[in-house]
Amino acid sequence: MNKFKIVLYVFLCSVLLSACYHEDDIIPSEKTMVLRFDFPQGNNSWDEDLVKINEEFGVCMIYKDIEEGDYNRSWTGGGVFAAEFHGQDLNDEQAQFYTNFFKNHVFNYLNAEITQKVLPPYYYMVYDYHALYSFGTMQLKSEMSFYTDNLDFWVTCLEGDVNPLTFAQLVRPKTAEDYLMCRGVILKEIFEKAIEVGNIVVPEEFNTGIDYQTEITYKVGYENDDNYYVKRGFPGIMYTTFNFSDLQSVTKINPQTNFLQYINLGMRYTKEEYEALRPSSKYPLVHEKRQFVIDYMKRVHNIDLVAIVRGPEL
């Protein structure tokens, strides 16, 4: 091989290696992704718990060093009534309380199979999280306990300051019912996204006996109508809270959404509570489907909805 060919060969190899190097720079793997926060954020006992959560579920639970710009990393731009989001870092006592809440009331009932591709890289645990809307010289504060419509993080706030306009205040949970409402709002969002990404697939047999075409009725006084939504096998719909609202049209439901509502139903009421609310003698189909979903989630996904509604010992 003459000198010219040798030089050409070396040059081409160097170009090829350089291209490969830059390609790796442009598309880094998840393992080399630079974190926006130091994690863990301390060496306290609760930091050890947060590390274990990260190792199992891949999410960094963040409770301090959150800057104002971190709260406003959104998928969408601002509009006419765009809000700015604010919150405060947790002190040590609050950080320990929040960590215990997530450890015992949220991640205790989940597994990595369900949460894969569901949880964001970061989960902020903050004090006094709120949206601030500006109307000229006036500002309106809206407290928020849970928010997921962000670029790479979710937020949970369990307590906050008094709103100077409405005197409303987020207060940390104390009773079993308080804790149920707090964990329920978070878990129902996780299960909804698990269905969206295909981690939970609605089995065909779930839809047997449910009519998704004929219009339903929902108004007071129509409870004995054959087309009353509960008689038709629709427990209702949960929106932003952990309580059911009436299903007002069959066009607002589909098999995936209905299956999710039965997951919500299974972790909202005990069997005895739901029997008192919707007697099985009057609404047999909804009780049949409730038990089907409870059994399915336990058998297929190792998710115990009954344990969620009962909760851990306080």
Side-chain angles (χ1 to χ4, degrees):
M1 182 181 295
N2 60 37
K3 291 183 179 180
F4 174 77
K5 289 184 178 180
I6 293 175
V7 171
L8 180 61
Y9 178 79
V10 172
F11 172 77
L12 291 176
C13 287
S14 65
V15 170
L16 181 61
L17 290 173
S18 176
C20 292
Y21 174 78
H22 288 295
E23 182 179 357
D24 287 343
D25 277 353
I26 295 171
I27 311 175
S29 68
E30 291 184 2
K31 292 183 180 180
T32 61
M33 187 176 295
V34 178
L35 295 177
R36 289 198 289 113
F37 297 91
D38 290 333
F39 187 84
Q41 296 190 294
N43 55 5
N44 305 286
S45 58
W46 60 85
D47 289 298
E48 295 176 5
D49 288 332
L50 296 179
V51 167
K52 291 177 182 177
I53 290 172
N54 174 261
E55 289 173 346
E56 182 172 359
F57 297 97
V59 59
C60 295
M61 307 295 292
I62 304 298
Y63 62 88
K64 65 179 180 179
D65 300 328
I66 307 172
E67 298 180 357
E68 286 298 311
D70 293 323
Y71 288 112
N72 293 282
R73 293 169 59 87
S74 174
W75 288 106
T76 57
V80 177
F81 300 111
E84 289 185 356
F85 297 91
H86 303 271
Q88 299 177 31
D89 290 353
L90 303 183
N91 60 36
D92 285 355
E93 186 276 334
Q94 291 168 334
Q96 186 173 25
F97 178 83
Y98 275 62
T99 300
N100 287 336
F101 168 77
F102 273 96
K103 175 184 175 182
N104 298 320
H105 290 268
V106 178
F107 291 106
N108 183 42
Y109 301 108
L110 296 171
N111 55 63
E113 173 203 335
I114 288 293
T115 60
Q116 185 181 13
K117 299 182 294 184
V118 169
L119 294 173
Y122 304 105
Y123 201 132
Y124 299 168
M125 304 183 292
V126 305
Y127 177 84
D128 198 39
Y129 184 62
H130 61 274
L132 200 62
Y133 297 88
S134 296
F135 303 91
T137 59
M138 187 180 75
Q139 288 187 320
L140 176 64
K141 175 184 177 182
S142 177
E143 298 85 358
M144 305 180 71
S145 60
F146 182 59
Y147 197 61
T148 63
D149 192 19
N150 301 306
L151 187 62
D152 60 357
F153 66 95
W154 290 2
V155 183
T156 284
C157 175
L158 298 177
E159 54 190 338
D161 293 337
V162 175
N163 188 323
L165 293 177
T166 64
F167 300 103
Q169 183 180 17
L170 288 175
V171 180
R172 69 170 56 178
K174 295 183 177 65
T175 68
E177 183 70 9
D178 292 340
Y179 277 102
L180 173 60
M181 293 297 104
C182 288
R183 68 175 173 268
V185 166
I186 298 171
L187 289 171
K188 80 180 182 69
E189 185 76 15
I190 290 173
F191 292 135
E192 178 176 0
K193 292 188 181 298
I195 291 175
E196 288 177 0
V197 302
N199 294 352
I200 299 174
V201 178
V202 180
E204 283 295 328
E205 55 266 39
F206 167 75
N207 297 312
T208 302
I210 300 180
D211 175 5
Y212 290 95
Q213 300 298 321
T214 307
E215 190 54 271
I216 50 91
T217 58
Y218 68 93
K219 294 182 179 179
V220 175
Y222 285 81
E223 291 84 358
N224 293 321
D225 191 298
D226 287 342
N227 284 320
Y228 185 64
Y229 72 96
V230 184
K231 279 197 170 186
R232 289 268 301 277
F234 305 117
I237 287 189
M238 281 188 182
Y239 292 105
T240 57
T241 69
F242 196 51
N243 286 310
F244 278 97
S245 298
D246 293 331
L247 177 64
Q248 298 186 3
S249 173
V250 75
T251 61
K252 298 181 181 295
I253 202 77
N254 58 50
Q256 288 72 30
T257 305
N258 200 30
F259 191 85
L260 172 65
Q261 303 316 312
Y262 273 100
I263 292 177
N264 296 339
L265 181 63
M267 60 180 180
R268 176 63 180 87
Y269 300 106
T270 65
K271 181 178 181 179
E272 296 76 18
E273 289 171 340
Y274 197 62
E275 178 66 31
L277 185 67
R278 303 290 194 186
S280 55
S281 58
K282 190 173 183 178
Y283 306 106
L285 184 57
V286 76
H287 279 267
E288 174 192 330
K289 297 301 181 182
R290 173 188 173 276
Q291 192 60 51
F292 174 90
V293 172
I294 288 174
D295 294 341
Y296 178 85
M297 291 297 293
K298 179 68 174 178
R299 183 181 73 255
V300 177
H301 297 294
N302 196 29
I303 297 294
D304 192 338
L305 300 178
V306 174
I308 294 174
V309 68
R310 296 192 184 280
E313 291 188 12
L314 300 181

